Amino acid sequence: MANSGLWVGILTALTALGASYITARAALRAALVQARTAARADALREQRDRRRSAYREMMGCAHAFSAITWQIDDVDAAQDRDRRNRLLEQMYERIGPAIGDMNRAMHEVRLDGPAEVSAAADRVRDMARRVQSLLKALIGDDSDRRRGDYDAAYQDFREAYISFIGLARGALEVTDEDR
C-alpha cells in the first residue's frame, strides 16, 4: 500500500510539473505575440508619423508656391506694361526657390512612400515647373494665348496637388489589416 501511495504522489507531482510546463509555454507564447503586436503597432505609428510629416512639408511647399502664383491678380490689376513686367519678374524670382523647397519636400515623400503618393508628389513638382516656365514666358508678352497657357498650367498644378492630398490621406488611414 505504501508503494501505491508513493506512485500516486509521483504521478501527481509529474502531472503538476507537466501542467506547469504547458502553462508556462502558453504564457510565453502569449507574451511573444503581445510583444510582436506592440512592436508592429509602434512601427506603424512611427511610419505614419514620418509620412504625415513629409506630406505636410510637401503641402506647405505647394501652398507657398501657390501664394506666389496668386500674385497674378496684382499683375492683372497693373495699369501699365512696365509695372506688369516688374511684378512678373518678382514672381519669377520668388518662384524658383519655392520650387527648390518643393523639390526637397518631394524627395522626403519619396523616402517614406508609398509609391503612388511619391509619384503624385513628383507630378505636383513637375506641374509647378511647368507653371514656372510659362510665368517666364508672360514677361514682356501681353498675349491672351500665353496667359491662357499659364492659367491652364496652374489648373493642372492644382489638380495634381488635390490628387496628392487624396493619396496622402489614404496612405495615412489605418485599416483593419494594420491593427
Side-chain angles (χ1 to χ4, degrees):
M1 188 82 126
N3 265 351
S4 106
L6 178 65
W7 285 112
V8 169
I10 292 174
L11 189 57
T12 303
L14 288 175
T15 303
L17 284 174
S20 176
Y21 173 77
I22 291 171
T23 302
R25 281 189 49 120
L28 178 63
R29 283 186 187 149
L32 287 173
V33 167
Q34 186 176 9
R36 284 185 195 126
T37 302
R40 178 156 167 74
D42 287 346
L44 286 172
R45 186 175 15 266
E46 183 180 323
Q47 178 188 49
R48 189 173 51 250
D49 290 347
R50 277 193 328 267
R51 284 179 176 176
R52 181 183 306 265
S53 177
Y55 300 166
R56 280 188 175 156
E57 179 66 20
M58 182 67 183
M59 290 169 64
C61 290
H63 181 75
F65 173 85
S66 291
I68 295 167
T69 62
W70 294 332
Q71 293 175 344
I72 198 74
D73 292 337
D74 296 337
V75 172
D76 291 341
Q79 297 297 325
D80 60 66
R81 185 178 196 161
D82 288 338
R83 172 129 173 85
R84 180 180 183 277
N85 285 335
R86 268 195 317 277
L87 289 170
L88 287 169
E89 287 170 0
Q90 289 172 358
M91 286 174 64
Y92 186 75
E93 288 172 8
R94 291 181 58 216
I95 211 164
I99 291 174
D101 291 343
M102 190 182 305
N103 192 51
R104 181 187 41 75
M106 185 225 28
H107 288 296
E108 289 296 318
V109 172
R110 277 187 182 168
L111 285 175
D112 291 316
E116 303 85 34
V117 179
S118 175
D122 206 4
R123 179 151 170 74
V124 170
R125 191 265 329 257
D126 289 347
M127 292 298 101
R129 285 180 174 167
R130 186 166 164 241
V131 170
Q132 178 188 29
S133 68
L134 291 169
L135 176 65
K136 185 175 184 179
L138 283 175
I139 299 171
D141 188 334
D142 290 331
S143 72
D144 290 338
R145 184 183 68 78
R146 288 224 191 259
R147 177 55 194 271
D149 291 346
Y150 172 85
D151 290 341
Y154 181 76
Q155 186 60 37
D156 290 344
F157 165 79
R158 288 293 299 164
E159 289 171 7
Y161 178 57
I162 289 167
S163 176
F164 167 78
I165 291 171
L167 289 168
R169 182 181 298 132
L172 293 174
E173 288 179 359
V174 176
T175 63
D176 286 336
E177 296 170 4
D178 295 334
R179 293 180 190 177

